[in-house]
Amino acid sequence: MSMHRVLTTLACTLATLTAVLATARPALPTPLSTPTSPPTATSASTSASTPVVGTTVRTHDGVLRGTAHDGYDTFEGIPYAAPPVGRLRWAAPRPVRPWAGTRDAGRPASACPQQAGEVPGGSTDEDCLYLNVTTPADTAPRHPRPVIVWLHGGGFTSGAGSSYDAHRMATRGDVVVVTVNYRLGALGFLARAGLPGSGTFGLADQQAALRWVRAGIGAFGGDPHHVTLAGESAGGYSVCAQLASPAAAGLFERAIIQSGPCTGRPDRPFAPFAAALPAARETGARLTAGVGCSSARDTMACLRAVKVSRLLAAQDPDEQPAYATPLLPRDPAAALATGRVHHVPVLIGSNHDEGNGWAAGIIQAGNPVTPETWPDVVAAFFPDPARTRAIVHEYPVTAQNGGPVFGAVIGDADFACPTLRTGDLLSARVPVWRYEFADEHAPPLTPGTPPFPLGAPHAAELPYLYDLGGRPRTMTPAQQRLATTMIDYWTHFARTGTPDTPTAPPWPRRTVQSLTPDHTGPTLTTATRHHCAFWNALP
């Protein structure tokens, strides 16, 4: 099995994982309308309640008309930055031009450009810098509500804020939830010498959204000085990047990192990481050559004239933000080690079986894991012979357990142990609360039958917090109780800086909280179960 083949399969597997959200509502332009126009009914009605009347809010940019539901209001497709098109492709986000009249905020705007997967049919629309607000129905509470700003995952190449229906979190937790689109792939992370903002345009978008929240969330009943920045996978790693970015100072007061440890590294490629600027520029050079702009007199003018579909076809499947840049001066792992991060409380965790989805996809793509093939499989990801031998010895494979063992290697090396390491580094500076989502019967995220039981794989915790694609997953009563507990933890953390609440099982600060149906509580075995002493000693 060649490295090229494995990484190609990995890209396909990531597409399969993100296809879980392919039932998301279609992304459509959000037009302006007159103040007397009726609200637009869309497929948003696939969520738990049916829209009944429109509702309007006056923001600093203009009036918005959203959709009122039973107990909550939604405002979708709100622009937080000018469209990054033409000369603004690969430029810092610019302010929105205010509008006259009332803008329809009753349906999501376009997702940022990406291949087909989570977004049905993909997207080639660069006019995508929009966010969505879900708020309890009373938009004028006695006290402003805490705000959770959600950054979606998708490997920095896919995803959309509108895929996450946050009404359960907003209503039960009495919080305002904001979900954000940001530029992806080469359009979000192109790096070139002399290009301002190189390698960090997507991160700059996230900061622009946070500045919008500071300026405008009060109109929705939210507290602009009580903001929690949260995300999963690439979104979780984005939170790490913002913790390490000097430009994000003062934009959020708490952080939630789900399955996106800040200590990701390029030699463990399943988890997100930051690329050194020279490596990011090499990726940019490959893209430039791939679209025929290497010999152009004005390279950037040539690149800005390339059609989005061609850029998507030419970009690397593995796009990452760049460090050693003005927005991200240091690798987040190095920033954590030296304490150069924003000092805010952090809730961080991972899933018990993070790697099983990737392992299953790679096996289903025709790469069996047997005692005979196991050394070659390991060598594809850890080409150093000494490390290969050590891993094969630490994780023996039999004829029956190849898939779960492969999944354990991926999950332990890329997620579980780096997450514990991230927590250790953070806890030396700030209050940290740790969890492991461990529902071994979590609702499946993709159709079909996997080659082995997946347990609690990457992204399995998301349906407990959000209705993905606007529809809830089928859960047992015990799983529904766990979902309620998790929402209580998350929103109490956003309100107070601690997840421990009288409505849920106690969460001691210096342990890992195992999130399991009807068995939620502290565990002391996370590090040993995931072989973290082994991985921490491996160079």
Side-chain angles (χ1 to χ4, degrees), residues 198-433:
S198 244
T200 58
F201 300 107
L203 298 181
D205 295 341
Q206 296 167 5
Q207 293 183 2
L210 287 166
R211 288 192 292 271
W212 183 95
V213 168
R214 273 283 188 262
I217 204 63
F220 302 87
D223 187 342
H225 302 291
H226 211 154
V227 175
T228 297
L229 185 61
E232 184 267 347
S233 195
Y237 192 78
S238 293
V239 177
C240 294
Q242 301 302 349
L243 282 169
S245 174
L251 293 180
F252 56 96
E253 286 69 42
R254 319 196 199 290
I256 297 175
I257 302 168
Q258 298 173 216
S259 301
C262 304
T263 52
R265 39 195 269 191
D267 64 342
R268 299 188 186 176
F270 291 91
F273 60 91
L277 187 56
R281 286 176 174 169
E282 288 179 8
T283 301
R286 288 195 297 271
L287 175 82
T288 303
V291 297
C293 289
S294 292
S295 58
R297 178 173 296 179
D298 186 336
T299 303
M300 288 310 303
C302 178
L303 284 169
R304 288 184 172 117
V306 175
K307 289 184 176 181
V308 171
S309 57
R310 192 176 178 197
L311 290 172
L312 292 176
Q315 73 183 18
D316 267 27
D318 186 30
E319 294 282 346
Q320 308 290 344
Y323 69 90
T325 59
L327 187 144
L328 192 60
R330 300 169 188 83
D331 185 338
L336 257 65
T338 57
R340 295 181 178 181
V341 294
H342 303 304
H343 288 191
V344 301
V346 176
L347 190 157
I348 183 171
S350 59
N351 295 351
H352 186 278
D353 307 295
E354 290 275 4
N356 279 359
W358 280 288
I362 291 172
I363 290 170
Q364 287 177 316
N367 302 287
V369 178
T370 67
E372 293 73 31
T373 65
W374 183 223
D376 290 337
V377 171
V378 174
F381 297 98
F382 300 92
D384 176 76
R387 285 199 287 178
T388 297
R389 288 193 296 271
I391 295 167
V392 169
H393 181 266
E394 183 76 9
Y395 291 83
V397 162
T398 69
Q400 290 76 37
N401 71 357
V405 171
F406 187 19
V409 168
I410 296 171
D412 295 354
D414 290 63
F415 292 96
C417 300
T419 295
L420 290 173
R421 175 62 176 157
T422 297
D424 289 343
L425 291 171
L426 284 167
S427 63
R429 316 282 179 178
V430 301
V432 175
W433 304 86

Side-chain angles (χ1 to χ4, degrees), residues 79-101:
Y80 68 84
V85 299
R87 293 185 62 82
L88 296 186
R89 180 190 278 184
W90 296 306
R94 304 294 172 84
V96 171
R97 179 177 297 177
W99 57 86

